[in-house]
Amino acid sequence: MFLPLWRFRRSMAPHARALTGGVILVVLAAVMQVVLPWPLKVIVDDVLKTSEASDKNGLLRAFGADGLDRLQLLSVALASLLVFTLVNAGARYLGSRLLNGVGERMTASIRVDVFAHLQRLSLSFHDKQRLGDLVTRTTTDIDYLRAMIISIMAVLVPNVLILGFIATICLVVDPTFALIALAVAPLLFAMVVIYRPRVKAASRAARNKDSDIASAMAETFSSVRVMQSSTSEGRHEADFRDRNGARMNAGLRLVRLQSALSPLVDVIVVLGTVLVLWFGVRRVLDGTMTLGLLLVFLAYLKALYDPMKELAKLTTVISRGQVSAERLLEILSTAPEIIDRPGARPAPALTGAVELRGVSFGYAGSEVLHSINLRVEPGRMVAIAGPTGAGKSTLVSLIPRLYDVTQGAVLLDGTDIRDLQLATVRTQISMVLQDSILFRGTIYDNIAYGSDHPTREQVFAAAEAAHVDEFVRALPLGYDTPVAERGVSLSGGQRQRIAIARALVRDTPIVILDEPTSGLDAISEQYVMRGLDRLMIGRSVIVIAHRLSTLRRADVIYVIDHGRIVETGKHADLIAAGGLYSRLDGLQDIPANRAYPKHVAPKPIPAGGLL
Ligand SMILES: Nc1ncnc2c1ncn2[C@@H]1O[C@H](COP(=O)(O)OP(=O)(O)OP(=O)(O)O)[C@@H](O)[C@H]1O
C-alpha cells in the first residue's frame, strides 16, 4: 500500500515540514477523540453518583480532582469537554488543510515530472502511445493518485492511530470487555483482504476503458475535417458507443463492489454493538461495571468502528490510487532511448556536411532502411525521391537523431552524431514537414518558436522572406493574431509559410524539407516555393520531393525503393537512364513558362544570406 508513496518520495521531500506538521495535528486530533468520552463518564458516575462504584478507575484521584464538590466537578468536566472538542476541531481543520495542501502541491509537481519526462521520451516510445491515454494519465490518474495520498495521510494514519489508542485504553481499563468490543475486527479485516484485489482489478479495467474513450476523442476530433468530408460520423459514433459501453460496464462492476462494501461493514458494526450491549448492560445490572464506563465503552465503540468503517471504505480509494500510481510510474520508469552518450561533446558550428554511412534502421524489429550510403556536401541540395512507403521520411528523421540507426552511422561534419550532444546537434537542423503543426500562441510566437530569444527584426525579416507578411498584414491583429490549436485557423499554405519563417529565424546550416508543398494549390505552392528558395540559400538541404521543379534543381537525387538506394544522379541523367526514377508516379511539372503572380515575384536576396 505504501510502496507507490515510497516511489514518489522525491516529490514528497520538499513538503517534509508541512507533512510532519499535518501528521502531528491529526495525531493530536486523534488523542482528543480518545479522551472526549471521559468527561461524560465523570458526570454520570461522579456528579450524578448513580453508582456506588464511582471513580473505580481512580481517574479523579489521578487528576487531583477527588476533593471537588459535585458542581465544581461538573464545571471541570464540561470545560474539559469543550476544550477537547475545540482542540479536536482546530487540529482536524489545520491538519486537513496542511495535508490536503501537501497532496495538491505534490501531485502538481508529479504532473510536471510526468509531462517533462514524456517530452524527453524518444519518438519510438510515442509511436506506440495513444494520445488519449497519455492525457488520461496526466489528468485523471494524477487526481486519483492525489486522492490516495490525501486519504493515506489524512484518513488512514489518524484512523489507525485512533484505533490503536482506543484499543489500548479499552484493554487497560477492562480487558475482557475490550476483547468483546474488538471481536468483530477480524471480520472487517478479512473483508478488506478479500475486497481489495477485486476492487483493484475493477479499477484497473475502468482506467483502461477511460483511456480508450480519451483516445477515441483525441483521434476523432483531431480529424474532424476528414471525418465530416467522408461522412464517417456514424462509424465514429458507433465506435465511441462501443468504447463508452465497455467503460460503463467496467464502472458498473466497480459500483457493485463499492455498494456492497458499505452495508456489509455496517452489519458487522451492528453485530459488535449488540455484543457490547449484551455483556455491558448485564455487567452494569450486576454492579461489576459503572454506567459511566459503559457509556465510555459505547462512545468508544463508535469511535472504534468509525475508523474501521473508514478503513474498509478506503479500500476503493487506495486500490484506485494504486492503479493510477502504477500507470504513472510506468511512464516515469521508461528511460528515454535517445540520450547523450557518456563523453558526448557539444557539436561545433557545423558546415553542413551530412553523411549516412552504411545505415540500416527498422521500427520495432522490422527493417525499413538497408545499408544506405548518402552524402550531402555543405551548401548543396540533395533530393530524395521514391515511391510511397519507400522509407524517405524515415531516412531524413535519422539526421536530427529522432531515431537511432540500428547499423552504420549518421555523420555530421565527419563526426558520428551519437558522439555529439543531442541538443547542440538539433539546434543546427531545421525541418519543414508536409503538414506543419503550429502551437497555441500568436503568429509571432510561432515564428519565434524553436529559436533562442530572436530579435523582433529577425522575426519580421524572416516573415517577409517567407511571404508570411503578405497575409499577416491583412489580419486585424497582425502578428499578434492568436493561432488556434494545431494551427487549424490558418490555411495549409499559410502554415507552411510560417514554418519556413520559423526555419529562417533558426538560421541553421542544415535544412530538411519533407515534401513541404504537397497538398497545396498552385498559388499557395508558389508562395511557399519562394519562401523555400530563400531558406535554401547557403545551407545544406535534404529535400524529399516529387515535383520536377525541385528535383531538377537538386545537385544530386537519391532514388529509394523498398528501403534501398536504387539510383543516384542528376535529374537529366536519371531520366536518360530510364530506370525507376523515370517511371515514378506523381512526378509533376510546374510549367517553366508559368509566371508567378506579380505580388509573389522573387525578392532580391541580400548578399551574405538573409539574417
Ligand atoms: N512510426 C512508425 N512505426 C512503424 N513503422 C513505420 C513508422 N513510420 C513509418 N513506418 C513504416 O516504414 C516504412 C517507410 O515509411 P516512410 O514514411 O519512411 O516512407 P515514405 O517513403 O516517406 O512514404 P511517403 O512517401 O508515403 O511519405 C513504411 O512501411 C511504413 O509503414
Side-chain angles (χ1 to χ4, degrees), residues 347-351 423-430 506 508-511:
L350 298 172
T351 63
T424 61
V425 167
R426 288 189 180 161
T427 51
Q428 301 198 55
I429 300 174
S430 297
R506 280 169 62 83
T508 56
I510 300 168
V511 168

Side-chain angles (χ1 to χ4, degrees), residues 386-596:
T388 180
K392 305 180 293 292
S393 302
T394 305
L395 187 153
V396 297
S397 65
L398 300 177
I399 300 171
R401 214 183 150 201
L402 296 179
Y403 300 95
D404 264 340
V405 298
T406 38
Q407 236 176 23
V410 175
L411 301 123
L412 297 180
D413 284 5
T415 309
D416 189 326
I417 197 170
R418 288 165 296 192
D419 292 329
L420 299 171
Q421 286 171 8
L422 193 59
T424 61
V425 167
R426 288 189 180 161
T427 51
Q428 301 198 55
I429 300 174
S430 297
M431 288 184 100
V432 182
L433 306 177
Q434 280 176 27
D435 188 14
S436 294
I437 300 285
L438 302 186
F439 296 93
R440 222 173 16 176
T442 62
I443 290 181
Y444 183 95
D445 297 337
N446 266 287
I447 298 175
Y449 177 90
S451 304
D452 206 11
H453 301 106
T455 64
R456 289 184 78 75
E457 288 68 34
Q458 282 174 312
V459 172
F460 293 138
E464 198 164 324
H467 295 272
V468 169
D469 210 45
E470 272 102 333
F471 72 85
V472 168
R473 283 202 183 284
L475 300 170
L477 292 177
Y479 285 94
D480 294 329
T481 306
V483 176
E485 218 161 296
R486 295 161 57 85
V488 284
S489 49
L490 296 168
S491 76
Q494 288 169 336
R495 283 206 299 273
Q496 291 305 70
R497 282 143 77 179
I498 290 178
I500 292 166
R502 189 188 280 168
L504 278 166
V505 178
R506 280 169 62 83
D507 193 20
T508 56
I510 300 168
V511 168
I512 296 171
L513 309 172
D514 189 348
E515 300 191 87
T517 60
S518 69
L520 298 184
D521 61 57
I523 298 284
S524 285
E525 183 185 347
Q526 285 172 35
Y527 276 115
V528 171
M529 283 308 298
R530 300 314 308 156
L532 287 174
D533 284 346
R534 299 290 292 262
L535 178 62
M536 291 191 232
I537 297 164
R539 307 175 206 274
S540 305
V541 177
I542 300 110
V543 55
I544 298 178
H546 60 282
R547 305 264 181 191
L548 271 187
S549 52
T550 311
L551 291 165
R552 273 208 193 102
R553 292 168 47 194
D555 294 301
V556 56
I557 301 167
Y558 288 87
V559 184
I560 300 202
D561 191 22
H562 292 105
R564 291 181 199 283
I565 292 177
V566 290
E567 291 173 35
T568 315
K570 280 184 140 332
H571 171 73
D573 302 335
L574 291 172
I575 293 287
L580 174 69
Y581 181 79
S582 65
R583 299 191 304 275
L584 276 182
D585 279 343
L587 275 188
Q588 292 167 30
D589 202 0
I590 296 175
N593 60 356
R594 188 159 84 193
Y596 287 110

Side-chain angles (χ1 to χ4, degrees), residues 1-8 106-107 110 114 136-137 140-149 152 200 203-204 207 317-333:
M1 186 184 295
F2 291 101
L3 188 65
L5 276 191
W6 174 245
R7 301 280 300 272
F8 286 109
M106 241 185 93
T107 41
I110 292 173
V114 172
T136 328
R137 288 184 200 228
T140 334
D141 277 321
I142 299 229
D143 286 340
Y144 287 166
L145 176 71
R146 182 186 50 218
M148 179 182 76
I149 292 172
I152 289 182
K200 203 170 161 189
S203 301
R204 182 173 293 117
R207 299 301 304 128
V317 180
I318 291 181
S319 306
R320 206 177 55 183
Q322 276 180 319
V323 172
S324 292
E326 283 163 17
R327 282 162 55 88
L328 291 166
L329 287 168
E330 224 170 73
I331 292 181
L332 289 172
S333 57

